[in-house]
Every structure is written in C-alpha cells, then in structure tokens.
Amino acid sequence: DFCKVPVFDYHRHCPRCLYDLCLDCCRDIRRSQTNVVRGEYAESKGPVVETNKDSASDRARLEPSAASVNDKLFPQPIDANDIGIRSLFPTWRVNNDGSITCGPHEAGGCGSSKLVLRRIFKINWIGKLVKSSQEMVNGCKAHDLENGCSSCNDSRRLDSIGRHNFGLSKCSDSDGIDGNSVYSSVLENLKYEGIVHFRKHWINGEPVIIRNAFEPSLSSSWDPLSIWRGIQEIMDEKLDENAIVKAVDCSNQSEVHIKLNQFIKGYSDGHKGEDGKLMMLKLKDWPPVSVLEEFLLCQRPEFIVNFPLVDFIHSKWGFLNLAAKLPPDALQSEVGLKLLIAYGRQQQPGKSDSVTNLMVKMGDVVHMLMHRAEMRYLCPKSLQPERPERIANGMAVHVNAHAPVQNLNLDMGEQSPEHTVSKSWSPSVGSSAELLSSSHSEQPKTNGVERSQPGALWDVFRRQDVPMLNKYLASNWEELTNNSQAMLSVKHPIYDQAVYLREHHKRVLKDQYGIEPRTFEQHIGEAVFIPAGCPYQVKNLQSTVQLALDFLSPESLRESARMGQEIRCLPNHHNAKLKMLEVGKIALYAASSAVKEIQKITLDPKFNRDIRFEDQNLTRAVSENLARVTKQRKVSCG
C-alpha cells in the first residue's frame, strides 16, 4: 500500500485497517533509525520461520528491542535503492519492542495498530522448494556458460554502422571480437544447432539477430490493411472502419485519437495534423491481445510455428520462458505477443522522429519485422513504386518488399492489383543509413538478390553502460528534453523514456563517458532479441509492422530482480512501476515447475529413455508438436 509493488509472500499487515507493507519498506523504515534492530536482518536476508500467521511471540523473538542488538553484528549495508520514508514521514518509526506501527494517515494507514507478519503461500512451501532445488542442482552436471562464446568472430556477427565490413564472413575459433558487433544467425541454423550457441551470447546480455525467419514474399500479408481484413474474418461482429483508436504522436509522445481507416491510409500515404505537418504515429493497444492471438492462430499459424525460439519463449507454452510458469489467473500484462504498427521516414540528421525513445525493460523482448513501406507522400516522382521484377525461377523478388496496396478502401473485396514496390532508395546525405551505402554490395544475398532496404535503425546499450548513461541523462536533461522547465524527478532517468539520442549525443557519450551503443539496421524477416536491462531506442526508416514478444529467460532473472529494486523507488504513478514484472512470484513458480519437470525425467524410466538433454532434435520435436496443435486450432477456427 505504500510503494505499490506487488507482494508475493511475506509482508506486514494491519489487522485494523488492512494496510499492507512489503518487507523492503519495513527494511527502509528500520534503516532510517539510528539504532538498527535485528528485524532488519531477518527481513532482508535471513529466513523467516513462523508456525502461526499472526504469531506475536515469533515476531518478538525475531525483533527484540534495540538495546539488545549489537550494531557491529548487523551493520547497515549501503543501499542506493532506499525509498526515503523517513524524509517523507518522520514520525513513522520502529517501536521500542522492534515492531512497526501502521503507516500514518498521510501514507494511507491508520497510524495506531501494530503491523503483524503475514504470508500468502502455504507454510514452508518456499523452504521445501529451496531444499528440493538445492538437491537437484547438486545432483546435476552444470555447464558453465559465464564466459560466453569465444568461437565466433565476424562470421556470425554484424558490425555496427560505420564499419567497413558490414556483413558476414567465416567463423573461426579465434576470439578478439569487436565489442560493438552483434551475434547473428539464420533461422535454419538455429533450428539445427539448438539454443546452446545462442545462450553463450545471451547469458552475457548481448542482443542477438535471427535472420531469414520467413520468406520475404510472405510479408505482403502483413500490411495493416490485410491485418484488418483478417481480423474482420474471425470476428463475430463486423468492425467499424471508422472506429476511433489510440495512437502516440512520436514527436512529443502525446496520445492522440484517430479513425482506424485514416491511420491505415496514412501508413503508406502519410497523415497530416491540424497544423498541416506530417505526423509520425504509432498505433497503441491495437489489436487487443486476445484478438491478436485469434488472428495469429486462425490466419497466420505458420508465422507462430516458425517464430524464432517460439518453443522456448512463447508466453504460454515456452518452457524456458519463466513468465509462462505463472498460473493462468496471474499472467503479466507485459508478457506476451503484441503487434506494433508505426509510421516512419528517412530524415536529415538531427530532425529524425523516433518511434521508440530510449528505454529499458525488466523483461526480455524480441521484435520481428513483418512489413515495411515507404510513404509515397514523401517519395520523389523518380522514385515512385514500380512493378516487382522476376528472376529465372519464376519467384517474385520484392526490393521494397511489400508496400500496401494503392487503393486503401477498407471493404472486404479484392485488393488492388497494383501491389507496388520501390525499386531504389537513397538516404539523406549525412544520415546514419548513408554510412551503410558503401557496403551494400557486401551484404548477404537472399534467393540470388541483394537484401532489401532496412525498415528500422536500432541502438542498443550494454547493461554495464546504464550507470554512465543515467549520469549523462541527469546532467543534460533540459537539453535532451528540449524543455528548460523540465525537472528530473527520479534517480534513474533511463526509466522515463523521454529522450531520443541523436548522433551528436552519441558522440558525447563516446568521447566523454566512454560508452557507445551497438547500432544496426533491421530488415524484413529479421528478429531482434534484446535482453532485460539493455537500454535501446528504435527509429523507423520506413513505416513498419513489428511482431513483438515479451518473455523472461532464466539468464535475465537476476538483472530483472535488480531492476525491480530500482523501479520500486520510482513515484507510484510512474509508468515503469505500473508495468513492472512480479519477479519474485515468477521465480518461485518457475523453480517449482523446473523441479517437477526434473522429477518427471529422472523418475520415469520410459521418459528418460526417449529424451536426452543433449538431444539437438528436442527443439525440432517441440516445434512439430506446436505445429500440430496450431493446425488443429486452425481447423476449429475454420
């Protein structure tokens, strides 16, 4: 009730007004005292043992008076993630017997009754879980991946923009990897090799790019008009094409309302605001998650089956997605599939409109570029779209692969046959994309032709860059937000998602702070995996449709828990706090699920004979099973 962070088990409770206080807030109140009581240690580090939910005697045993405690035995650790309760409520203190009184009226409590210790899970459930986990870990052979991968150099890494060799070369066992390169693999290799190589990079918090996730020719079914028509087919009630939807104006991050058919038309034609200027919009919360899931299962099942690592990271079935282990009634709003539809354009340096401001997430995320289109409103006449060319094998080759149809009438009739593509593309002089122009000839080819033009430009920082990045943001907040009245209200401004770093900002970061992001382009059919805790920003070079999936991998759990402590100290109305993951609950349910799975494998001889941990075909077997389930669902949809 004070910090608004979800409580997953032990907490303190007021029997009178039902006020709940988490153990971290209890710790902060105790640390605000001159004399620390033993209760701080019991609540922050030591195990809590209680035979009765409201046992006063146990509380007194764990929390003796301040006079009986040796401060040298329990020194106060230095913790930057203190919420500062004493400065907010000086009268809220620890009693002489070590108990804590309910919060004052200003904090939402009654200010009179003593808080008692409560729990949510069954007694000793966590203790038994810890014991079972320790026994199984001690009985298993663990593979050390801490040092990451030293076997790949430029072969499977894409160099950052501005390098001379932007592309792929051969793999060797030499290390000496450039710190700004990005590990990249094609989907077929990933399916064959499994996740071992992927994890060697992922465990170090490195972004990963998976290419060729689907045939570029299939991208035409992912333009906003086709998506809208597909949703129409699965809905019991017809959708109004004039329905008002929410969108975000990327120039100032404000929320606007627009008719759905106007947004879809503006995706390729551009949309002007009341002032006559072209708007850069990003559709918000459309389609709804439940509608999107039905759409994917009934209309695009092949994309779900072939989504990179879907059997590991799916929001419901992924067996290495910790968030998937939560009970159905505890699903997190920030974990699952989303469709991100946004406008985009190539602009002069310093005037670019960002689609996603610099941000950082508690969980992992993957974005797969499904469709892109250049705004025809911005195209010079000489660059107007032309008919797709054909190659010797008869397959259509789309260079600007799949711009939406010219006729944007939202009826259910046939699409216009003039499904056009742009033949060439020339970035503005001095732009980030131009830095790649000299190396396009070296880029990998698909089906005998050069790769299509990029749809998005990514900047991804390392986890270890966050302290310096926060320092830079705090020191230059007014300049970065273009607001002389802007006041920095949080300790960690990276969570505000209020700025987009342009080229001169990144130069200052490199020259004065010693950090720089990994910068790379994203093409059709490429999935970009971003680990939890890695700040990133995205600029659309064209209008795009991205299929995004949030998940939480075991490798990111520690970082996610660390971020949870930082987010807890943000204001209660802060957007990051409203979206924070319940990491404690996720970890417990995931551990319980893992224990059950290992017991099943070790105790069932038949199961143990059929499947081995090192079986490289395990991923393929799960994918085939997922395909079977999806096929059955598609039949029922029909």
Side-chain angles (χ1 to χ4, degrees):
D1 281 314
F2 181 75
C3 67
K4 306 302 180 185
V5 170
V7 172
F8 66 90
D9 193 25
Y10 282 103
H11 60 285
R12 295 212 169 270
H13 175 79
C14 178
R16 181 179 177 183
C17 69
L18 307 183
Y19 190 85
D20 291 325
L21 194 68
C22 74
L23 298 189
D24 287 324
C25 285
C26 293
R27 175 202 62 190
D28 288 351
I29 293 175
R30 298 185 190 284
R31 286 179 178 172
S32 67
Q33 304 292 91
T34 303
N35 297 318
V36 184
V37 297
R38 184 173 297 180
E40 173 193 348
Y41 178 79
E43 288 175 338
S44 62
K45 293 184 178 180
V48 179
V49 180
E50 187 173 31
T51 57
N52 186 293
K53 289 188 177 183
D54 300 325
S55 173
S57 60
D58 282 338
R59 186 197 68 229
R61 176 174 56 81
L62 290 173
E63 301 177 350
S65 64
S68 65
V69 177
N70 186 342
D71 290 337
K72 293 182 180 180
L73 294 178
F74 303 101
Q76 288 191 14
I78 299 176
D79 190 352
N81 297 320
D82 192 306
I83 211 165
I85 293 179
R86 185 177 185 181
S87 61
L88 297 172
F89 307 102
T91 60
W92 198 358
R93 311 188 73 178
V94 179
N95 300 318
N96 290 333
D97 62 354
S99 63
I100 298 178
T101 304
C102 184
H105 293 286
E106 297 86 350
C110 64
S112 58
S113 180
K114 291 183 179 180
L115 300 180
V116 297
L117 191 63
R118 285 287 183 91
R119 66 172 184 273
I120 295 176
F121 290 112
K122 293 179 180 180
I123 188 170
N124 291 333
W125 182 78
I126 295 180
K128 294 177 180 178
L129 177 60
V130 172
K131 185 174 183 295
S132 298
S133 301
Q134 290 174 339
E135 290 175 350
M136 291 185 175
V137 170
N138 292 335
C140 294
K141 181 181 179 181
H143 296 277
D144 184 15
L145 295 177
E146 290 295 335
N147 294 326
C149 178
S150 61
S151 63
C152 48
N153 54 13
D154 290 340
S155 74
R156 299 192 182 184
R157 290 177 175 261
L158 295 175
D159 283 351
S160 290
I161 288 179
R163 312 277 172 173
H164 293 294
N165 54 338
F166 182 87
L168 302 177
S169 55
K170 294 184 179 179
C171 186
S172 72
D173 293 330
S174 62
D175 33 25
I177 304 300
D178 187 290
N180 251 25
S181 55
V182 181
Y183 167 66
S184 175
S185 179
V186 296
L187 183 60
E188 286 303 315
N189 289 345
L190 188 67
K191 287 183 176 181
Y192 177 78
E193 297 174 353
I195 65 169
V196 175
H197 198 172
F198 173 91
R199 287 190 67 226
K200 289 180 179 180
H201 296 273
W202 191 250
I203 200 170
N204 286 335
E206 299 179 22
V208 174
I209 301 175
I210 304 300
R211 296 173 288 111
N212 300 348
F214 61 87
E215 282 294 327
S217 59
L218 300 177
S219 176
S220 58
S221 65
W222 283 91
D223 69 88
L225 180 59
S226 298
I227 294 171
W228 187 86
R229 287 172 170 167
I231 291 176
Q232 282 277 65
E233 293 178 0
I234 64 172
M235 297 292 291
D236 295 331
E237 299 180 359
K238 294 295 182 182
L239 294 177
D240 184 5
E241 64 184 45
N242 293 315
I244 302 297
V245 294
K246 296 178 181 179
V248 175
D249 184 349
C250 296
S251 64
N252 55 18
Q253 298 302 309
S254 62
E255 186 175 287
V256 298
H257 294 82
I258 184 174
K259 291 183 179 180
L260 182 59
N261 59 348
Q262 290 180 347
F263 179 90
I264 293 177
K265 182 177 178 64
Y267 178 83
S268 57
D269 289 352
H271 178 78
K272 289 185 176 181
E274 295 180 354
D275 58 359
K277 294 182 179 180
L278 197 66
M279 300 182 70
M280 289 291 107
L281 300 178
K282 176 172 60 176
L283 203 55
K284 183 178 180 181
D285 302 327
W286 191 92
V289 175
S290 58
V291 175
L292 176 60
E293 289 180 350
E294 288 294 320
F295 168 75
L296 292 172
L297 287 171
C298 297
Q299 298 279 335
R300 309 287 192 273
E302 65 279 5
F303 287 92
I304 292 297
V305 172
N306 293 311
F307 197 95
L309 299 177
V310 67
D311 37 353
F312 293 99
I313 66 175
H314 192 276
S315 56
K316 293 181 180 178
W317 308 315
F319 50 79
L320 285 184
N321 179 8
L322 304 187
K325 312 305 178 183
L326 287 171
D329 59 347
L331 287 178
Q332 304 277 291
S333 59
E334 284 301 298
V335 179
L337 281 165
K338 298 180 180 66
L339 203 59
L340 309 177
I341 308 176
Y343 297 172
R345 59 179 173 178
Q346 183 66 44
Q347 279 248 332
Q348 294 285 346
K351 299 181 181 180
S352 57
D353 295 303
S354 66
V355 168
T356 302
N357 277 347
L358 184 67
M359 65 176 297
V360 63
K361 303 192 73 167
M362 276 188 76
D364 309 307
V365 65
V366 53
H367 287 247
M368 186 158 70
L369 185 58
M370 311 303 296
H371 186 273
R372 59 172 179 74
E374 189 171 7
M375 285 188 178
R376 287 190 289 270
Y377 177 83
L378 299 172
C379 294
K381 186 173 182 180
S382 60
L383 296 180
Q384 287 296 318
E386 300 178 2
R387 300 287 295 180
E389 300 175 356
R390 291 186 174 271
I391 55 179
N393 61 8
M395 295 181 60
V397 177
H398 302 271
V399 181
N400 180 9
H402 314 285
V405 292
Q406 296 259 12
N407 180 12
L408 287 177
N409 182 18
L410 298 185
D411 58 23
M412 297 302 295
E414 293 293 325
Q415 295 188 19
S416 168
E418 298 180 8
H419 189 93
T420 59
V421 297
S422 177
K423 187 175 181 181
S424 61
W425 174 80
S426 178
S428 302
V429 176
S431 67
S432 297
E434 185 191 23
L435 297 175
L436 284 172
S437 60
S438 62
S439 58
H440 282 325
S441 60
E442 301 174 16
Q443 293 186 10
K445 296 186 177 182
T446 304
N447 294 336
V449 297
E450 292 185 5
R451 295 173 71 191
S452 61
Q453 298 298 338
L457 182 69
W458 289 73
D459 293 302
V460 184
F461 288 87
R462 300 163 183 78
R463 288 171 179 167
Q464 55 267 36
D465 294 339
V466 172
M468 297 304 293
L469 195 54
N470 272 321
K471 183 178 179 180
Y472 170 75
L473 294 176
S475 301
N476 301 273
W477 192 248
E478 291 185 3
E479 175 197 346
L480 292 169
T481 56
N482 296 318
N483 184 358
S484 60
Q485 305 299 320
M487 296 294 294
L488 188 60
S489 60
V490 297
K491 297 179 181 177
H492 310 284
I494 188 68
Y495 292 114
D496 276 5
Q497 197 177 343
V499 303
Y500 182 88
L501 300 176
R502 295 181 170 83
E503 292 303 319
H504 65 280
H505 300 139
K506 289 186 282 186
R507 283 196 297 270
V508 172
L509 279 171
K510 181 178 180 180
D511 295 340
Q512 300 182 18
Y513 293 82
I515 61 174
E516 62 177 327
R518 295 176 169 98
T519 301
F520 54 88
E521 294 175 337
Q522 184 185 20
H523 297 253
I524 287 288
E526 291 184 347
V528 177
F529 285 76
I530 306 295
C534 288
Y536 67 92
Q537 61 180 23
V538 188
K539 169 180 163 43
N540 272 9
L541 303 176
Q542 300 184 57
S543 294
T544 63
V545 176
Q546 297 259 13
L547 185 60
L549 175 59
D550 293 283
F551 62 102
L552 183 60
S553 61
E555 295 84 359
S556 297
L557 182 62
R558 184 187 299 271
E559 177 66 14
S560 185
R562 185 199 65 78
M563 292 178 63
Q565 289 297 312
E566 292 182 348
I567 294 175
R568 171 183 163 271
C569 299
L570 298 176
N572 288 339
H573 62 273
H574 199 283
N575 190 51
K577 181 172 284 190
L578 300 177
K579 295 181 177 181
M580 73 178 299
L581 298 177
E582 297 184 49
V583 180
K585 182 184 293 184
I586 290 174
L588 291 174
Y589 278 106
S592 178
S593 174
V595 167
K596 293 177 182 177
E597 290 297 321
I598 295 176
Q599 287 175 340
K600 184 188 345 181
I601 292 174
T602 56
L603 299 179
D604 187 341
K606 182 178 179 181
F607 188 88
N608 195 32
R609 246 193 341 263
D610 294 339
I611 296 183
R612 296 289 185 269
F613 288 116
E614 57 272 9
D615 185 0
Q616 293 184 350
N617 293 321
L618 180 58
T619 303
R620 189 177 304 169
V622 176
S623 295
E624 292 173 354
N625 182 60
L626 181 61
R628 178 180 55 80
V629 173
T630 305
K631 184 177 180 180
Q632 292 174 350
R633 183 63 181 271
K634 186 177 182 181
V635 172
S636 64
C637 290

